[in-house]
Amino acid sequence: MKSVKSGPRIERPNSTKNRVARNVAGLVLALVCVSDAISLPGYCGGQQEFDQSTPPAANAGWAFTGNLNTSRYGHTATLLASGKVLVAGGGGCDQSSPNIRICSAITLSSAELYDPNTGTWSYTGNLNVGRTRHTATLLSNGKVLVVGGEAGADQVTNTSELYDPATETWSSTGQTHCAGTGHTATLLANGKVLVAGSFGGIGSCNIAELYDPATGNWRTTGSLNTGRALHTATLLPSGKVLVAGGLELVDSLNSAELYDPGTETWSITGNFNTGRSYHSAILLPSGKVLVAGGEGHIGDASNPIRSAELYDSASGTWRVTGNLITARGRGQEAGQHQISSASARQPTSNIPSSGSHSRRTSRPLSSNTRSRPSARTIRVVRSAATLRTSRRSRRRRSASNR
């Protein structure tokens, strides 16, 4: 394989394992490094770390860092106060075949810590419930709140857990009212966590809930005007939370809403110019919110969006800004991949017993995470989309025959 052309020359090992089935570290760690405490879901991909020790102009390359102990996708990564990174849960892979590694409905309860000083990973305490496509939020007290996700094939969970970095242990901390995935979790200025929306099946949920770290309790707050999942949630300088886009059933939404922690109510704000889900949102130093990429329809994974938009909280409006150079959305579902390579397999002894293999289980980005639905959830919703398209076609044919 050829070396990287831009920046420092980096020779990458010429093997299928490094090309396709490397453990995830780099992209997550790069985003962690440029943020204060970002927590976001991850997917199987190349493992690389961006080096910020030199100026950007002289540092255009990536370098490999230590491997995760367990391959995983759909996990979360959270920057702790200590500077270490906590990776928790995720989906695992069936390694029973000697030549094919199949990513399937295996949920992991294991968690690992990355030490940037040594570039190495070490196991830490296991989750009580193995899960994937959940959210993880760094709390003001330094603990990490994990919420929801999928706990195995065809099963979502409404459980939540707390990770204590001091003891490296997890403890259960109640259940949410709307089980599912595709929700967001945002740390508010008052220290509480706002969880909004989710996929609980074919439809999306309009329930919003608050977690109080002082009591360890959940309670519902004002409901979203529109049920949604796969949206973004951004904490604004005013203390309000901007929830934008997402998926209601099949089509992506162009609507946006504002949550006011003072009144615990939602109000409708300006619409996107382009409906989207699976997009990204980030608060800029100017106080505006940049939204980029995504998908316009649940079946459009192969046709992502290039456009980007800016939200002005003063006027409550969106305007189109420059397009992405490369259109990007969620890409392929990791859970559908089959990787043909004997060298991609890892010894079973390297994978800790999660205790969950037979079970189902956008910031400030520093405090906001978004979970994603499984391939099965997407297939169910796609079936609804196909049925609706078929009905529309029959109505058009009927109208033309009149």
Side-chain angles (χ1 to χ4, degrees):
M1 184 176 290
K2 294 181 180 180
S3 60
V4 177
K5 294 298 183 183
S6 61
R9 293 178 61 84
I10 302 173
E11 295 293 337
R12 301 187 181 185
N14 185 20
S15 70
T16 304
K17 179 178 180 179
N18 287 323
R19 180 169 57 87
V20 181
R22 296 281 305 196
N23 296 335
V24 176
L27 180 56
V28 169
L29 294 174
L31 292 173
V32 167
C33 288
V34 300
S35 310
D36 288 334
I38 186 170
S39 301
L40 70 164
Y43 282 83
C44 290
Q47 175 227 344
Q48 303 159 330
E49 180 180 3
F50 185 66
D51 181 5
Q52 289 189 298
S53 61
T54 56
N59 182 17
W62 294 81
F64 290 114
T65 186
N67 283 353
L68 286 155
N69 291 288
T70 300
S71 299
R72 60 188 78 220
Y73 66 91
H75 54 280
T76 52
T78 309
L79 181 63
L80 305 178
S82 65
K84 293 183 178 181
V85 179
L86 171 70
V87 162
C93 292
D94 181 0
Q95 300 179 16
S96 59
S97 169
N99 296 314
I100 297 179
R101 179 178 169 189
I102 304 174
C103 289
S104 59
I106 298 175
T107 54
L108 301 172
S109 63
S110 63
E112 305 186 39
L113 289 172
Y114 176 78
D115 187 340
N117 294 321
T118 62
T120 58
W121 295 86
S122 60
Y123 285 120
T124 186
N126 282 0
L127 288 155
N128 292 289
V129 176
R131 64 187 77 213
T132 182
R133 300 181 177 94
H134 47 283
T135 56
T137 308
L138 181 67
L139 303 179
S140 302
N141 59 13
K143 296 181 179 181
V144 178
L145 174 69
V146 160
V147 180
E150 299 171 26
D154 305 337
Q155 182 180 338
V156 292
T157 180
N158 66 345
T159 61
S160 60
E161 304 185 38
L162 280 176
Y163 177 78
D164 187 342
T167 60
E168 296 193 16
T169 57
W170 296 86
S171 59
S172 298
T173 185
Q175 299 179 341
T176 60
H177 294 77
C178 189
T181 184
H183 55 282
T184 53
T186 309
L187 181 66
L188 303 178
N190 59 15
K192 296 180 181 180
V193 177
L194 172 70
V195 170
S198 77
F199 265 129
I202 293 180
S204 50
C205 180
N206 72 338
I207 293 177
E209 306 182 48
L210 289 172
Y211 175 78
D212 187 345
T215 62
N217 294 328
W218 290 91
R219 68 175 178 86
T220 56
T221 184
S223 295
L224 289 155
N225 290 283
T226 302
R228 63 187 76 217
L230 302 174
H231 50 281
T232 53
T234 310
L235 183 64
L236 303 178
S238 64
K240 295 182 179 181
V241 178
L242 172 68
V243 161
L247 204 66
E248 185 176 18
L249 178 60
V250 176
D251 294 320
S252 293
L253 299 165
N254 69 345
S255 63
E257 307 185 35
L258 287 172
Y259 177 78
D260 186 339
T263 61
E264 295 193 13
T265 57
W266 295 87
S267 59
I268 296 172
T269 187
N271 286 353
F272 280 150
N273 292 279
T274 301
R276 62 188 78 211
S277 56
Y278 284 109
H279 52 287
S280 62
I282 186 169
L283 181 68
L284 302 179
S286 65
K288 295 181 179 180
V289 177
L290 172 67
V291 162
E295 297 174 16
H297 189 278
I298 199 166
D300 287 346
S302 60
N303 188 26
I305 296 172
R306 284 187 61 205
S307 67
E309 305 187 36
L310 283 172
Y311 177 77
D312 185 343
S313 56
S315 63
T317 58
W318 296 87
R319 69 174 178 85
V320 176
T321 186
N323 284 351
L324 288 162
I325 296 173
T326 302
R328 18 189 119 229
R330 71 186 147 96
Q332 290 179 298
E333 276 296 305
Q336 295 174 313
H337 292 340
Q338 292 189 0
I339 305 172
S340 299
S341 171
S343 64
R345 293 185 298 111
Q346 294 183 353
T348 306
S349 59
N350 286 348
I351 301 178
S353 173
S354 70
S356 62
H357 288 191
S358 61
R359 293 180 295 170
R360 274 278 327 193
T361 90
S362 333
R363 40 197 209 184
L365 287 194
S366 62
S367 59
N368 177 326
T369 56
R370 174 180 60 185
S371 64
R372 304 174 184 239
S374 68
R376 176 193 174 271
T377 302
I378 292 172
R379 285 195 297 271
V380 171
V381 179
R382 280 178 180 163
S383 297
T386 302
L387 178 60
R388 190 168 72 176
T389 301
S390 176
R391 288 172 177 169
R392 286 175 177 171
S393 299
R394 287 198 299 270
R395 284 197 297 268
R396 285 195 295 266
R397 286 198 300 268
S398 176
S400 63
N401 291 334
R402 292 194 186 107

